[in-house]
Amino acid sequence: VQLQASGGGLVQAGGSLRLSCVVSGTISRVTDASWYRQAPGKQRELVAGITNGGDIKYADSVKGRFTISRDSAKTVYLQMNSLKPEDTAVYYCNADWLLIDGGSTVVGKEWGQGTLVTVSS
């Protein structure tokens, strides 16, 4: 099972990007999923998370600008609007998943490889 994050790029301040996180491999569904980011010289921080039950949380710095969502068993998005230079970072997705196979259930947690978002002023 692997996570593939994509959608990063260079954008001017005020612009938008949509990041995607797709799970490849045999799973039944993603349960909890999150987006993190790490700026140069800083620690990785939680940006947004969505639980299996649909509960959502955001970092204060992105509330009202970013939206986390899911549209299938294997894909999670991060819509980023009104981007600021301080949003510049490598963005990582993280997901818990499960596989129901007959009478057994397998669970796991994966990290994506990261996608770079650069916001110019």
Side-chain angles (χ1 to χ4, degrees):
V1 177
Q2 292 184 323
L3 268 60
Q4 181 70 39
S6 63
L10 173 64
V11 64
Q12 288 188 330
S16 298
L17 286 172
R18 188 174 81 156
L19 306 184
S20 299
C21 179
V22 180
V23 178
S24 62
T26 303
I27 67 169
S28 298
R29 68 177 186 274
V30 170
T31 54
D32 298 347
S34 301
W35 286 95
Y36 288 76
R37 68 186 179 187
Q38 187 165 19
K42 295 188 177 182
Q43 290 187 329
R44 189 173 297 189
E45 63 175 353
L46 176 68
V47 175
I50 184 167
T51 69
N52 190 43
D55 293 328
I56 292 174
K57 61 182 176 181
Y58 296 101
D60 288 343
S61 59
V62 307
K63 282 180 181 177
R65 300 188 297 122
F66 290 11
T67 303
I68 188 171
S69 64
R70 60 208 305 172
D71 73 350
S72 72
K74 292 188 175 183
T75 306
V76 181
Y77 300 100
L78 184 68
Q79 178 67 42
M80 306 187 295
N81 299 327
S82 302
L83 282 161
K84 304 176 181 180
E86 52 263 43
D87 295 319
T88 295
V90 178
Y91 284 71
Y92 300 89
C93 60
N94 172 272
D96 295 338
W97 56 268
L98 66 84
L99 171 64
I100 300 173
D101 184 10
S104 66
T105 300
V106 178
V107 296
K109 177 186 285 289
E110 305 294 336
W111 283 93
Q113 86 287 4
T115 184
L116 177 62
V117 172
T118 303
V119 184
S120 63
S121 58

